[in-house]
Structure formats: structure tokens, C-alpha cells
Amino acid sequence: MGQLVEALAAGHPTAAQRVERLAADREAVRRVIGVGISDKEFDQAPDVLGNIYRIAADKARMPRDHP
């Protein structure tokens, strides 16, 4: 059981790794678009990817003959 837990944990980033990744991703966005967006502005931005997933899930649930 311990080995299974270790294997599952190894496949997921730690909280510290997620924080590092978020900071790096935000810095990359700032560099690419050339606009100094603050962390507060990022936090207040809409969840675009989440909205896309929600829309796709809604469409997947619709009957095929729905316009």
C-alpha cells in the first residue's frame, strides 16, 4: 500500500512546485504579451480554460440532433 501511495504522490506536483509553476507561467505570459499584469489582476481574471471545459462538457451532454 505504501508503494502505491508513493507512486501516486510522485506523479503529482507538491504545493511548492505548483506555486513555482504558477509564478513561471505568469512571468511567461507577461513576457509574451508585453504587458505588466499584476498577480492581483491574474487572480481576478476569468477562468477561461475552466469555461472552455464547461462549454465542451455541456455540448457533449446535448443530444446529437440538437442544433
Side-chain angles (χ1 to χ4, degrees):
M1 184 66 130
Q3 289 175 337
L4 177 59
V5 171
E6 285 180 28
L8 289 172
H12 297 283
T14 65
Q17 289 169 324
R18 288 192 303 272
V19 168
E20 286 179 20
R21 176 65 188 264
L22 178 61
D25 288 348
R26 286 180 174 187
E27 189 54 40
V29 168
R30 290 177 181 117
R31 206 173 36 252
V32 168
I33 66 172
V35 177
I37 300 172
S38 70
D39 283 342
K40 183 177 179 180
E41 290 170 313
F42 269 112
D43 292 339
Q44 293 173 342
D47 180 9
V48 175
L49 185 58
N51 289 337
I52 290 170
Y53 286 147
R54 183 187 50 77
I55 291 166
D58 290 347
K59 285 187 175 262
R61 288 187 208 102
M62 284 185 186
R64 290 217 185 266
D65 59 349
H66 190 274

